[in-house]
Amino acid sequence: MSQAELISPLRFITRLPGNLPRLPRMLLGLYYTGIRNREKRLSLGWALERAARLYPQRPAVIDEERRLSYAEFNAWCNRLAHALKEQGVVHGCVVAVMLENRIEVLAVLGALAKLGAIAALVNTTQRGKVLSHSLNLVKARHFVAGDELRGAFEEVRHELDDARRCYWVADGDSLGDPGDAPPGWLNLMRLALGRSSGNPVETGEVRLKDPCFYIYTSGTTGLPKASILSHGKWIKAYGGFGHSGLGLTERDVFYLTLPCYHNNAVTVSWASVLAGGAAIALRRKFSASNFWKDVARYQATCFGYIGELCRYLLNQPPCAEERGNSLSGMIGNGLRPAIWAEFKARFGIERVMEFYASSEGNIGFTNVFNFDNTVGFSPATFAIVRYDLENDRPLRDPRGFLQEVAKGESGLLISEISPKWPFDGYTDPAKSEAVILRDVFRPGDAWFNTGDLMRGIGCKHAQFVDRLGDTFRWKGENVSTTEVENTLGAFPGVEDAVVYGVEIPGTNGRCGMAALRLTAGQHLDGQALAAHLDRELPGYASPLFLRLLEEVETTGTFKYKKTELKQQAYDPEAVGAPLFARLPGDAGFRPLDAQLYQAIQRGEFRF
C-alpha cells in the first residue's frame, strides 16, 4: 500500500481557505456529530420530514421509470407507517426487510423509522441456513419481502420462530398497481391505500439512543452478527457526511448502486442526500457498462462507491458518456491509493470523500478537506497502538497499559467509549464485550477495538492499512473463514477445510482460497462442490481457489496454521500439490497449472 503523505499543521491550514464557503454547513454538521444527550428526539424520520418541509417539490427519489418529490415520497412513507401501525408494528418492533434496490425499500425504511421500529436489513444474497439464522437472530416477528426475494424467504419460512406476519411487495411499480399477494402473504402496498398521509406522531418520540437498523456483519467468527445502528449514529452521519462532508444541495443528484442492506447506502449515502434535500437515483444492481449512461440520464453530481466498484470502472474501455460527465464528487471507502490519482484524472472527479466507519463501532473518519490517499479526519477520541501480530493482541507496557505508535507508523486503531462517543455494539452483549478493551491508558477506561490497522498521518487524519484476524474482505464484504470452513466441511468427502484470503493482482481485497483434506479414496468433484457453495453461501464468500492437503497442521489449541498457506497462495511452483481455480463464469473448479496461473497474474480474467 502506498503511504499517504504526512499532513503537517501548515499543510492543513493551507486547505482551510478553499473550505470557507462551506463553513456554515460544516459547523452545522459539527453540531449534529457532537450532540451528547442521547435522549434528544432526532431521527431518520425527523430528517425525512425536515427535507419534505424545506424542499417539498424537489425530487427525492428517482429510478428508470419514476420520480417522486419529497412531498410525495414523505406522504407514501406516512401511509405505510399508518398501515404497519395497524398491523401491530410499534416502537421497538423488529421488522426484517428483504427488498432489492428500488424506491420501495427506501419507503419501507422511512415508514419504520417514523414509528421507531427497527429495520433488520437482510443481505439479499443470503440463502438457506445463513438466512434463517439472520432472521431468527434479531427475533423478527414482521417480515417485508419483495416478490424478487419471496422464493428465498419461502425456503426458510418453516425454520423461523414466528412467521405469521409476512408482507409482500410486488416486483414493479407497487405505488401505482400493488398487484395481488400470493397465498399466505399480506399486500403491504394495498394495506397502505387510503391511509393518512400525515406525519405520524410517533416520529417526534424517537430518540437518538433508539435503534434504527440492525445491519448484519460476518465479523470474525461464524454466522452473521447483527450490529445496532442507532438513530444517534445515523444523525452523526447526517451531520458528518451530509453537512460537514459532501454538503449536497437540492440541485444535486446522488447516484446509488450499492445495496440498501449496506451501511454505506442507507446511512452514509441517504443521510448525505437528506441533509441537503438532494435526490437519490437508484439502480437495482451495479453495472459497469451502464454506469456512465445512468450518470448522464440522471445528471448525477455524486455517487456512492466501494473500492471494487472504482476498479471495475477503470477497467472499462473509455466511452462517450464519461467524457465531460456531470459528476463532481464521490463518497465511499476502499479506494486504493494505487488508482486514486488515475481515477480522479480520468473521470474528472474533484472531491473524493473517502471515509472509514463500521456499523457496530463508535468512530468514523471523513475526508472533509479532500486530501489524497486518506480516510480523512475524525473528531472522535482515538489512538493507534502497538500490536503484536504474532500473538494477535495489543502490546502492553510493564505497567499493563497500551502504547501509541509514532506518527506515520501503523498500529491497531482504538476509539474511546464515552457519553459523546457511545458504543452501541451488537444485539448479543457477549459479542459486544469481546471488542471492548479495558484499562487501556488508565484504570477503568474503555475503548472500542476496531480490529483494523491504521496509520496516523497528522492533524487527526489517518490512512487505512489492513484488517486483522482471519476475516478477509472481498467484493466490499467481510468474509468469515469459520462460516466458509463449516460450509465446506458439510460437503461429502471433505474431512478438513482451511480457508484464508489471497490476493489477485489488480483487484481489491482478498478472495477466498481453501485447503482441503479429503476422505481417503475420495476425489474432488469440482462442479458438485461449486454447486454446493452456490446454494449455501453468498457469491462473495465462495472460494475461488482450492488446494488439496494430505495433512492439516494445527496449533496446540487446534487452530489451523494458515501463515504458510497464505504465503504460497495459488502458485503451482510454491504449492507442489493439486490446485484448482474457479474462473469468472465457470460452473465448477478446473485444474490450475503454471500456464493458467500466469494468465491470472497477467490480469486476463476479470474477477
Side-chain angles (χ1 to χ4, degrees), residues 282-473:
L282 287 172
R283 184 179 181 87
R284 281 276 184 115
K285 294 179 180 178
F286 169 72
S287 167
S289 59
N290 287 296
F291 183 91
W292 295 109
K293 295 182 179 68
D294 284 350
V295 167
R297 175 189 296 117
Y298 300 124
Q299 284 297 287
T301 55
C302 187
F303 74 100
Y305 71 88
I306 56 173
E308 195 77 353
L309 184 153
C310 298
R311 185 178 66 83
Y312 289 149
L313 293 177
L314 272 181
N315 285 343
Q316 288 288 303
C319 64
E321 290 86 358
E322 77 180 57
R323 291 191 291 273
N325 67 77
S326 55
L327 290 175
S328 59
M330 53 194 276
I331 186 168
N333 56 6
L335 180 60
R336 291 187 291 127
I339 67 170
W340 190 300
E342 181 186 0
F343 193 90
K344 287 180 69 175
R346 174 174 166 180
F347 301 123
I349 305 295
E350 298 168 9
R351 299 186 66 210
V352 177
M353 191 63 61
E354 177 86 0
F355 72 87
Y356 168 90
S358 64
S359 303
E360 70 277 17
N362 69 332
I363 185 171
F365 288 79
T366 313
N367 192 19
V368 174
F369 299 101
N370 201 27
F371 288 104
D372 288 337
N373 301 327
T374 173
V375 297
F377 163 90
S378 177
T381 304
F382 69 89
I384 299 175
V385 299
R386 299 192 181 282
Y387 195 82
D388 182 354
L389 289 169
E390 187 71 25
N391 294 298
D392 195 24
R393 64 188 180 193
L395 280 171
R396 291 187 180 264
D397 65 18
R399 298 177 302 159
F401 298 132
L402 302 193
Q403 312 161 62
E404 292 193 64
V405 301
K407 184 167 70 171
E409 291 183 16
S410 63
L412 173 68
L413 174 69
I414 61 176
S415 177
E416 187 173 26
I417 299 170
S418 66
K420 186 175 181 180
W421 302 101
F423 173 59
D424 293 317
Y426 301 101
T427 54
D428 183 342
K431 296 245 184 335
S432 297
E433 184 61 32
V435 294
I436 297 176
L437 294 170
R438 300 190 183 278
D439 303 323
V440 171
F441 296 117
R442 62 182 186 276
D445 64 355
W447 295 64
F448 169 63
N449 179 357
T450 67
D452 290 326
L453 294 175
M454 301 281 271
R455 179 183 294 116
I457 59 175
C459 296
K460 298 203 76 176
H461 282 66
Q463 183 189 35
F464 179 80
V465 176
D466 207 351
R467 300 182 187 279
L468 294 170
D470 285 339
T471 294
F472 55 91
R473 196 165 178 83

Side-chain angles (χ1 to χ4, degrees), residues 21 44-45 50 73 78 103 120 126 178 263 270 279 294 307 343 419 469 526 606:
L44 188 164
R50 174 183 179 273
F73 180 69
N78 291 339
I103 291 176
Q126 289 184 356
N263 198 32
W270 202 14
D294 284 350
F343 193 90
R606 291 189 176 181

Side-chain angles (χ1 to χ4, degrees), residues 22 25 28-29 32-33 44 46-48 50-51 55 59-60 70 106 213 233-256 258 263-281 301-305 329-332 351 353-355 365-368:
R22 300 173 51 236
R25 289 287 298 277
L28 182 60
Y32 287 119
T33 59
L44 188 164
W46 165 86
L48 175 56
R50 174 183 179 273
Y55 317 104
Y70 269 100
L106 294 182
F213 301 130
K233 286 186 71 174
W234 194 94
I235 289 294
K236 284 185 186 294
Y238 178 83
F241 300 125
H243 287 295
S244 295
L246 282 178
L248 300 178
T249 73
E250 69 271 22
R251 300 293 171 183
D252 285 298
V253 176
F254 189 108
Y255 178 50
L256 182 65
L258 302 176
N263 198 32
N264 282 22
V266 293
T267 301
V268 175
S269 300
W270 202 14
S272 297
V273 166
L274 289 178
I280 192 164
T301 55
C302 187
F303 74 100
Y305 71 88
M330 53 194 276
I331 186 168
R351 299 186 66 210
M353 191 63 61
E354 177 86 0
F355 72 87
F365 288 79
T366 313
N367 192 19
V368 174

Side-chain angles (χ1 to χ4, degrees), residues 29-302:
L30 287 174
Y31 163 73
Y32 287 119
T33 59
I35 296 173
R36 291 173 181 260
N37 179 11
R38 302 194 80 208
E39 297 290 337
K40 194 171 181 65
R41 287 165 169 75
L42 289 176
S43 64
L44 188 164
W46 165 86
L48 175 56
E49 292 178 5
R50 174 183 179 273
R53 185 177 70 253
L54 295 177
Y55 317 104
Q57 301 311 313
R58 298 300 302 170
V61 287
I62 310 171
D63 67 11
E64 292 183 5
E65 298 176 353
R66 295 173 290 178
R67 177 182 294 256
L68 298 180
S69 70
Y70 269 100
E72 292 169 329
F73 180 69
N74 186 59
W76 187 16
C77 293
N78 291 339
R79 291 193 296 273
L80 286 168
H82 289 297
L84 288 165
K85 180 182 175 181
E86 287 189 9
Q87 292 294 314
V89 177
V90 296
H91 189 285
C93 279
V94 180
V95 180
V97 179
M98 295 177 59
L99 287 155
E100 291 183 348
N101 269 33
R102 46 198 182 100
I103 291 176
E104 283 79 3
V105 70
L106 294 182
V108 170
L109 297 183
L112 294 174
K114 282 170 175 277
L115 293 174
I118 308 164
L121 303 179
V122 180
N123 186 319
T124 57
T125 67
Q126 289 184 356
R127 298 292 185 272
K129 66 179 182 181
V130 178
L131 177 58
S132 60
H133 163 83
S134 294
L135 295 172
N136 284 326
L137 175 67
V138 296
K139 298 179 171 56
R141 295 295 180 266
H142 298 263
F143 305 87
V144 178
D147 196 57
E148 68 273 21
L149 293 168
R150 182 170 59 89
F153 182 86
E154 292 284 17
E155 286 179 4
V156 302
R157 188 171 183 171
H158 66 284
E159 300 176 17
L160 304 182
D161 296 335
D162 183 354
R164 289 173 293 173
R165 304 174 186 87
C166 297
Y167 309 95
W168 174 85
V169 179
D171 189 1
D173 184 6
S174 58
L175 183 60
D177 178 10
D180 295 319
W185 293 79
L186 292 169
N187 190 322
L188 179 58
M189 297 303 165
R190 188 161 286 166
L191 290 173
L193 290 177
R195 296 294 184 272
S196 169
S197 59
N199 293 327
V201 296
E202 287 84 357
T203 309
E205 299 302 314
V206 182
R207 300 158 297 181
L208 291 174
K209 71 177 185 181
D210 294 329
C212 180
F213 301 130
Y214 287 156
I215 295 180
Y216 294 94
T217 172
S218 294
T220 57
T221 57
L223 291 165
K225 300 191 291 287
S227 62
I228 303 169
L229 195 292
S230 67
H231 285 276
K233 286 186 71 174
W234 194 94
I235 289 294
K236 284 185 186 294
Y238 178 83
F241 300 125
H243 287 295
S244 295
L246 282 178
L248 300 178
T249 73
E250 69 271 22
R251 300 293 171 183
D252 285 298
V253 176
F254 189 108
Y255 178 50
L256 182 65
T257 66
L258 302 176
C260 284
Y261 59 75
H262 204 291
N263 198 32
N264 282 22
V266 293
T267 301
V268 175
S269 300
W270 202 14
S272 297
V273 166
L274 289 178
I280 192 164
L282 287 172
R283 184 179 181 87
R284 281 276 184 115
K285 294 179 180 178
F286 169 72
S287 167
S289 59
N290 287 296
F291 183 91
W292 295 109
K293 295 182 179 68
D294 284 350
V295 167
R297 175 189 296 117
Y298 300 124
Q299 284 297 287
T301 55
C302 187

